[in-house]
Every structure is written in structure tokens, then in C-alpha cells.
Amino acid sequence: MTDLCRILFVDDDPGILSGLQNVLHRERRRWHMTFALGGEAALAEIRANRFDVVVSDMRMPVIDGAALFGTLRREAPETFRIMLSGSDCEAAMDDIHTLLPKPCSAATLREAIERALLRSI
Amino acid sequence: MVDLHDVRPFLFSEVIPLAGLPTRQLPGVEPPTRRMAALDSMQAALLRETDRLVLRVIAVQWALALVFGLMTSKPLLGLAAGTGLAMLGVATITTLRSFAGARHGLAVAQLAWCALIGTLAPTLVETGPLLALGALAMLALYRDARLVATATIAIVAHQLVLAAVVPTDLGALANQLAVVVVIAGVLVVACRRGAADQRNDARRVAQLARVTAIVERKVREHTLELQEEIEQFREIVESTEAVAFEYDIVKNQLMYVAPQAARLLDCEPADLRMGFLLRRVHLDDRANALREYEQFCQGHRGPSHSFDCRLLATHDRVVFVRMHVSKRPGSRRVRGFCLDITRHKELECDLQQSQKLESVGRLAAGVAHEINTPIQFVGDSVEFVRGAVDDLLDLVAQQRAIVRGVLDGTVSREQAIAAEETVELIDLPYLTSNLPTAIVRAVEGVERVARIVRSLKVFSHPDQPEMVEVDINQAIDSTLTIARNEYRYVADLVTDLRELPRVWCHAGDLGQVVLNIVINAAHAIAAAKPTERGTITVATRLDGDHVEITIADTGCGIPEHARHHIFDPFFTTKAIGKGTGQGLSIARSVIVDRYGGTLTFDTVVGAGTTFRIRLPARPHALEAAA
């Protein structure tokens, strides 16, 4: 299990998370995927575990994507940060490695994660 | 017009200060000769009058003398009368030609008559001197001492000649002469005094004429100045955009209308009468404009008032005007002006439109985000279902082959192992448990998108001119759906929408008002507690004949100094670029001006603000009208 790449998905909409979980289920043998509902849960996750890639939404209540990535950058700088968002992310650009506009196809997301994993290895 | 202080010094002083006055003179009158001219004219008048009197008296006397002479048939008397008449003729002609010496001739002729009567009518001898004195008195009317002197000399000469011819008592003669001389002396003094009075009168008349001339000149100058000023004012009044007018309430008549009105209405200046103008008021505005005007005239609207209405120019061009009227208390004249605010109205419309666009533009981003989320998971779910269906079809194909193999008796164990491996590969238990929910989620996502798109329709009729019956709750619900992105990250939404009658309005207008207030509420909550979520409560209820919408937030409240300005256009407490200051201004204009409702607020700094919209619910009235 430890050989699996660890990926964290963060969104405040459970529908998004379930969709991602379903569509990426095929990768379960290669990736260990964790799904966090909202910024606070995500923060708890990244403090408890190490992740290779974090894919997060931008606009979330209380702790948004920018705040999360800011923290992540300070606390786990080796983690690759992908923003999956439909809104303006100008303010957080420095903390984002890859920006994927919502809506984004599963193939695009998969490809972005693959590239991130290649870089982070 | 002319101040009396200007005139008084000229009336009461000899010296008339001409310095400092414009030296424009009356045409044909020179100041130094003015007094002489006045004197001459007075003297001439006096002479003419006296001449007429004296000539008449003398003519009557001589006629009597002639009759008397004929009756007594004394040839000498007839001769004297003839001579006297001739002298009179000469005297008359010369007098009438105003020959200066002629009156001396008259005097002598008159006295000659007296002498004649005295000499030739012995019965009248005693009256002779008296007649002479009477003649002397009459001649004194000329107020000419020289004439009196001539007459006196004539009397004295006659008495002396008479005394030489006829034996006379010298004492009585001296007595008579003394009386004549004394009376003559008195008359001379009277004449001189009369002449002096006449000169004084002439001087006064001349002064008066001069003062009159000055006064007239000043009046003319002031009149000219006033005319110039009036002309200037007229030019100013008639060169502005505002059409000034004046109306007499009692006469019910327009006293003045600035000629720009003709340009404004594309008509002839002669057409600008009350009836014509009233007919040009837009039919929809006529009743209201008349009511406003009449109420103003009756004093129910204060000393000045303004109202808007539409006028029709030719070719059905509609002109928006703002009428400002004012009236002084007790006055019967209403003055006012009328401003063409068509451009203003157009801009107002544009501004509202642009504000709406701005709101909608900001919404578009939020809506995009709102739609993106369901689209994202609908896409993911469908993708998952597609992959799962492929996997399941593979599995089904394998299992079909096994089934066929069983029936044929050719099935191998390897086939069954492969199928079981496929079950594990595609994680059949996962698919079994997640496929149905993925499909449900996709359907829900599509429904969410559909709801957002339906909600946008509220804002999609900005130009619909007619009001329609609107379900307020539905309009609010749609608005809140669209605005969800504006508040969902900072606040929870609580709605309490009670049953309401439908209200005649534009759903888009109302939606925009609610949207502006909800966005403000979200900003207020974000400003108050950046890390804590607040609550926005939207409630509706029927209160009597009004529909009440309240939008309450738990935000920062409105600071004291801003409370009086929040409805002012372009007033904003937000950072530059964050707000244009038009949201509440337009909200107020929509609610108050367009729908006759009210928009009020309660606020507590640090605790929150509640906006209260009250709209008249008039379905019953409308039903009754229909």
C-alpha cells in the first residue's frame, strides 16, 4: 500500500467528491485517493498524512482553496497542488502548480495528476 | 421713477448745478435764453389779452361817441369821432402786429376819447377827469409804466390845453392834476411790481421747465436702462434650456411663455396657449399633471413644487419634462419653468440598465460557478456510468459465453476463472453499490442546472413595458438561487416565505432589488466576522393591504454617519471597484417611484441590518376596476 501514490481531493460539494471518486475508481490500484469535504477537513488530512498531490476547489466556506494551498505550501512544500475551480484564482496563483478550469473532464484531470506524479517522483 | 432728491435742489436754489449731469439738451432750447423766452411768452400772452380787452372797450366807446355825435348833430363831434376812429384803426393794426410803440397810440386815443366827451358834452364835463382816470386804470392792465406815463402826460396836456382855452379855476385844476399824478404814480408802482412779479414768474417757469427737462431726461434714461435690463433678462431667460412661463390663476391665462417652448414642441410661437399646451400633455399623464397643478394652485403643495410629465411634440415625439412651479403667498401669478429631461430620463434608463447589467454580470460569474459544480459531477458521473457500462457489458459477454458453454457442454473452467477475474477487475460490488447513486446524482445535477437557468428568466425581461401579476415568493426564490454564490461562503440562508397574493410589478425589477440587498447583506456579514458564518433571513408576509419583504443579516450594521446617505446615488462604503453606489439608490427608485411602496431599514452597528420592502398589494382594486 505504501507504494501507492497518495492523492487528496478537496471540495465543499459532496456531489463533486462522489463524482470524482466514481470516475477515478479505475485508478484505485495505482492511487490511494482520499476525499475531504471542505477546507477544514482537508487541513486535518494534510496534517495527519503526507500527500503527493492535492486537488482542491477554490471557493469554499471558512477555509478556501487559496488558504488551504497557502498552508500546504508552508507545511508540505513537496506536495503538488492542483486547483480545480470555476472561479477566479488570481489571488492564489503563486500557490498553484496547475490550474484546471471547472468543468473538467475525467481524462484531463487524470492526465494532470499523472504529470504531477511524474514531476513529484 | 426719478428720485425727488435729485429734483429738489433745482426747485429751491437759484444756481442749478449742471456739472456732473449729462449735457444733453432739449432740442431747440438754449438754457441762457430759456428765462427770456419764458418772460417773452408770458408778456406776449398778457399783451394779447389786454389788447383784446382794451380794443373792445375803445371800439364800444367810439361807437357810442359816434351815436352821441349824430344825435346831437354837432359837426365838431362828428369830426372828432372820425379822427378818433382813424387813430383807433391805426392803433389797432399796429397793436395787432405787435408794434411796440402802438400801445402808446392806443393810450392817447383812449384819452382823446375822454377829452372829447369831456369837452364836447358839457353835461359830462364833471365826469371827464373820472373817465380819464378809468382809462388810466385800464391801461395799467398792460403793467407797462411807460404806457401809464404816456397816458398821464396826455391827461395833463389836455387839462392844461383846456385851461388855456377855457377859463378855469386854477385851484381846482391843480387839485385835479394832483389827483391824476398821484393815481398815476400808484399805478406806475403797481405796474413795476407787476412786471417784477411777471419776471419772477418767468424765472420760476424757466426753472420748472429746466427741472422738467432734467426729470424727463432722467426718466428717459432710466426707461432706456430698464428696457435694456428687461431685454437682457429676456435674452437670458430665452437662451436657456428651461422654458419659463407665468400663469394668472384668476384670469386662467398664460401671461408669458418663453419661445423655446415652440422649439420643444415643434409648434408655432402663436400656438402657445393654455388649451394647446394642455392638449399636448401625454394622455396617460394628463390627469396626474392637472391634479398636481391644481393642488399646487390651491396651496396644498407648498410655495414651490415640481413634477414630471410627458409632452407630445409633433410626429408623436415624446418629450419628458420636469415642471417647477412656484407662487408667492397671496399672489395670483404662478411662475415656473419647464425643463426638457428627455436625455436625463434616457440616461436614467441607461443607468438602470447598466446597473442591471452590472448585477447580472457579477451574477454571471456566480452562476457560472453554480452551474460548473453540477456540470462537473454530472460529467464525472456520466463518465463513470459509461465506463461501468463498458465493464459490465464485457462481463455480461463473458458470462453469456459461459452460459452458452454450459448449454453446449463446452464450457471450460478457465472461462469461469476469467469471468471471476473480470468481476474483481471491474470491482463489481463497487459498481453495484455506486452505479444507481451516480445516475441519481447525474439526474439531480441536471435538475440543479435547470433550476438555475429557470431562475435566470426572472432577469431576462428588462424591457417588458407592461406590469404583470408576479408571484413574489417565486421571484425571491429564483433570485436567491442565482445569488447563492454571493452568500453561500459567508452566510446561511433562512427563508420564511408566507402565502401572498400576486402583485402587479416586474419580477426582474423586484429580483434586482432583492439581489442588491442580499449582496449587501453578504458583504456586511463578510465585513463583520471574516471567519464566522452569518445568517441572512428572507421573509415575506401579507400585512393588511401591503406585501412585506424583509431581508435581515447578522452583518456589521450601517454606521451612523452613512445612514442618511445609503439611498443617495453613487454613495458607497465599499472599497473602490467593489460597489458603484447605485444598488440601493435604484432599489429605492424602483420600489418607491415605480411601485408606490416603501423601502426602509433598521440597523444596529455590530448586530446587523434589516431592510423592509413594502409593496401595495392591489389585486382587489384591480379586480374591482376590471
Side-chain angles (χ1 to χ4, degrees):
Chain A
M1 285 296 276
T2 45
D3 296 327
L4 293 184
C5 300
R6 296 182 62 85
I7 302 165
L8 175 66
F9 295 90
V10 187
D11 206 297
D12 62 323
D13 191 314
I16 294 274
L17 291 181
S18 303
L20 289 172
Q21 188 177 9
N22 286 341
V23 84
L24 297 173
H25 185 69
R26 284 161 180 274
E27 316 298 335
R28 66 190 180 281
R29 292 181 203 286
R30 301 193 292 138
W31 300 345
H32 180 267
M33 294 175 278
T34 309
F35 299 88
L37 185 64
E40 282 159 313
L43 215 54
E45 278 291 338
I46 62 167
R47 282 176 179 156
N49 301 296
R50 185 198 61 82
F51 290 97
D52 297 304
V53 178
V54 174
V55 180
S56 174
D57 185 23
M58 176 68 187
R59 293 196 66 175
M60 293 182 294
V62 191
I63 296 173
D64 65 4
L68 178 68
F69 277 12
T71 310
L72 195 57
R73 187 191 188 185
R74 282 193 305 277
E75 297 184 4
E78 72 286 355
T79 301
F80 197 91
R81 300 176 293 271
I82 296 176
M83 190 70 90
L84 173 61
S85 175
S87 12
D88 177 24
C89 299
E90 200 64 43
M93 278 318 279
D94 288 350
D95 300 328
I96 299 172
H97 290 117
T98 299
L99 175 64
L100 292 178
K102 247 187 206 171
C104 149
S105 73
T108 311
L109 177 60
R110 198 178 283 125
E111 197 184 315
I113 295 173
E114 299 277 14
R115 268 210 304 273
L117 290 171
L118 281 175
R119 280 176 60 176
S120 65
I121 287 166
Chain B
M1 300 293 232
V2 178
D3 190 350
L4 267 181
H5 293 292
D6 289 355
V7 177
R8 205 164 286 134
F10 307 142
L11 277 174
F12 299 112
S13 75
E14 278 290 335
V15 183
I16 296 165
L18 277 171
L21 280 174
T23 53
R24 203 153 36 140
Q25 304 297 345
L26 284 173
V29 181
E30 295 297 320
T33 62
R34 194 179 290 148
R35 200 164 72 189
M36 294 308 296
L39 189 60
D40 285 350
S41 73
M42 284 174 78
Q43 280 177 339
L46 181 75
L47 287 177
R48 261 198 314 281
E49 208 173 298
T50 316
D51 282 343
R52 264 201 298 276
L53 178 69
V54 169
L55 285 173
R56 245 177 247 149
V57 171
I58 292 177
V60 172
Q61 284 173 346
W62 282 104
L64 284 174
L66 202 59
V67 171
F68 188 70
L70 290 173
M71 277 169 64
T72 51
S73 39
K74 285 186 177 170
L76 206 57
L77 188 65
L79 184 69
T83 315
L85 263 177
M87 283 172 71
L88 177 67
V90 173
T92 305
I93 290 163
T94 50
T95 306
L96 291 180
R97 293 202 170 168
S98 295
F99 178 61
R103 290 186 187 88
H104 293 275
L106 264 184
V108 174
Q110 170 63 7
L111 287 162
W113 181 81
C114 295
L116 188 72
I117 296 297
T119 311
L120 298 180
T123 49
L124 296 174
V125 166
E126 292 305 317
T127 53
L130 284 177
L131 283 172
L133 287 176
L136 209 57
M138 190 175 72
L139 289 168
L141 286 174
Y142 279 110
R143 293 192 203 173
D144 189 345
R146 288 166 301 173
L147 212 55
V148 174
T150 304
T152 311
I153 290 165
I155 293 170
V156 171
H158 169 245
Q159 290 296 329
L160 289 178
V161 169
L162 207 62
V165 176
V166 185
T168 317
D169 180 1
L170 283 177
L173 179 67
N175 219 355
Q176 276 181 1
L177 288 180
V179 168
V180 167
V181 169
V182 167
I183 288 175
V186 170
L187 287 175
V188 165
V189 170
C191 282
R192 291 180 71 90
R193 191 165 289 173
D197 284 350
Q198 202 175 28
R199 277 197 300 278
N200 279 338
D201 285 353
R203 195 166 58 224
R204 295 256 156 76
V205 167
Q207 271 183 358
L208 210 58
R210 179 180 284 181
V211 169
T212 307
I214 290 169
V215 168
E216 278 177 355
R217 195 182 66 223
K218 290 218 160 201
V219 167
R220 255 199 313 277
E221 282 170 8
H222 280 264
T223 309
L224 275 176
E225 277 172 23
L226 280 176
Q227 275 172 351
E228 270 173 30
E229 274 178 26
I230 289 172
E231 212 43 49
Q232 277 176 4
F233 277 119
R234 183 186 291 275
E235 272 173 28
I236 290 170
V237 165
E238 295 182 356
S239 66
T240 58
E241 292 287 310
V243 181
F245 61 87
E246 188 180 53
Y247 173 77
D248 190 308
I249 299 174
V250 179
K251 286 187 188 165
N252 193 22
Q253 197 179 335
L254 270 174
M255 307 310 286
Y256 173 77
V257 191
Q260 302 95 296
R263 266 206 315 276
L264 189 69
L265 294 174
D266 299 332
C267 65
E268 295 301 318
D271 291 338
L272 297 171
R273 286 185 306 274
M274 199 63 187
F276 173 83
L277 293 175
L278 272 181
R279 281 197 300 279
R280 285 304 184 91
V281 177
H282 196 285
L283 208 58
D284 295 348
D285 292 354
R286 204 172 289 173
N288 183 50
L290 268 178
R291 193 176 57 241
E292 289 284 337
Y293 189 67
E294 275 167 10
Q295 294 216 335
F296 170 75
C297 289
Q298 288 161 12
H300 300 314
R301 289 281 194 271
S304 66
H305 182 52
S306 62
F307 56 91
D308 293 354
C309 65
R310 282 169 292 175
L311 300 180
L312 288 174
T314 46
H315 313 303
D316 291 334
R317 187 168 62 87
V318 174
V319 185
F320 279 91
V321 292
R322 177 156 298 163
M323 308 288 290
H324 292 270
V325 284
S326 63
K327 186 168 91 71
R328 272 190 246 163
S331 166
R332 51 189 267 186
R333 294 282 173 93
V334 172
R335 298 202 176 92
F337 59 93
C338 156
L339 268 178
D340 181 354
I341 55 164
T342 310
R343 184 80 190 115
H344 178 97
K345 283 278 179 193
E346 283 168 4
L347 288 175
E348 205 172 82
C349 202
D350 287 354
L351 191 67
Q352 266 189 25
Q353 197 61 32
S354 76
Q355 207 275 338
K356 193 168 281 186
L357 284 175
E358 184 207 314
S359 310
V360 169
R362 186 159 51 183
L363 279 176
V367 168
H369 190 269
E370 281 301 301
I371 290 178
N372 278 342
T373 301
I375 292 280
Q376 177 72 44
F377 69 67
V378 167
D380 288 346
S381 298
V382 171
E383 173 70 21
F384 167 62
V385 170
R386 189 177 64 81
V389 167
D390 283 351
D391 290 348
L392 289 177
L393 286 179
D394 281 350
L395 184 62
V396 167
Q398 279 181 332
Q399 292 188 340
R400 287 277 299 161
I402 293 168
V403 169
R404 269 199 305 277
V406 168
L407 291 177
D408 298 350
T410 58
V411 66
S412 69
R413 183 180 164 75
E414 284 70 26
Q415 269 181 305
I417 292 169
E420 274 309 290
E421 277 174 358
T422 304
V423 166
E424 196 176 327
L425 184 73
I426 65 175
D427 197 354
L428 189 60
Y430 182 86
L431 295 187
T432 314
S433 69
N434 284 285
L435 258 181
T437 50
I439 288 167
V440 167
R441 195 162 37 248
V443 171
E444 278 173 4
V446 168
E447 176 49 37
R448 226 162 101 180
V449 172
R451 200 163 96 87
I452 292 163
V453 170
R454 271 199 303 272
S455 299
L456 273 175
K457 280 188 179 165
V458 167
F459 291 88
S460 65
H461 301 290
D463 299 321
Q464 188 180 328
E466 299 304 323
M467 290 196 252
V468 290
E469 278 193 329
V470 171
D471 180 338
I472 300 278
N473 287 340
Q474 198 191 336
I476 289 176
D477 193 54
S478 297
T479 307
L480 293 175
T481 302
I482 294 174
R484 183 162 168 263
N485 190 57
E486 295 284 344
Y487 61 77
R488 62 185 276 218
Y489 301 105
V490 294
D492 297 314
L493 182 74
V494 177
T495 54
D496 177 17
L497 307 178
R498 310 270 176 88
E499 197 177 325
L500 295 177
R502 287 171 169 260
V503 172
W504 285 81
C505 65
H506 294 120
D509 283 348
L510 192 67
Q512 199 188 359
V513 170
V514 171
L515 181 68
N516 284 333
I517 297 174
V518 166
I519 289 173
N520 282 350
H523 288 167
I525 289 170
K529 297 154 194 158
T531 54
E532 257 182 73
R533 285 175 72 75
T535 306
I536 297 174
T537 310
V538 180
T540 58
R541 69 188 184 106
L542 185 63
D543 177 22
D545 54 354
H546 279 75
V547 167
E548 189 177 89
I549 306 163
T550 50
I551 300 162
D553 66 61
T554 56
C556 56
I558 302 167
E560 180 79 46
H561 65 87
R563 284 176 202 170
H564 295 296
H565 301 293
I566 65 164
F567 294 117
D568 294 352
F570 308 111
F571 177 82
T572 180
T573 56
K574 295 174 189 171
I576 292 168
K578 200 98 197 274
T580 58
Q582 292 173 36
L584 284 176
S585 157
I586 286 177
R588 164 105 130 196
S589 130
V590 165
I591 297 295
V592 176
D593 300 341
R594 200 168 304 168
Y595 300 134
T598 56
L599 174 58
T600 54
F601 65 95
D602 301 314
T603 185
V604 177
V605 172
T609 305
T610 301
F611 276 91
R612 188 167 282 110
I613 301 165
R614 285 172 66 83
L615 291 173
R618 281 172 294 189
H620 301 301
L622 283 167
E623 273 163 24

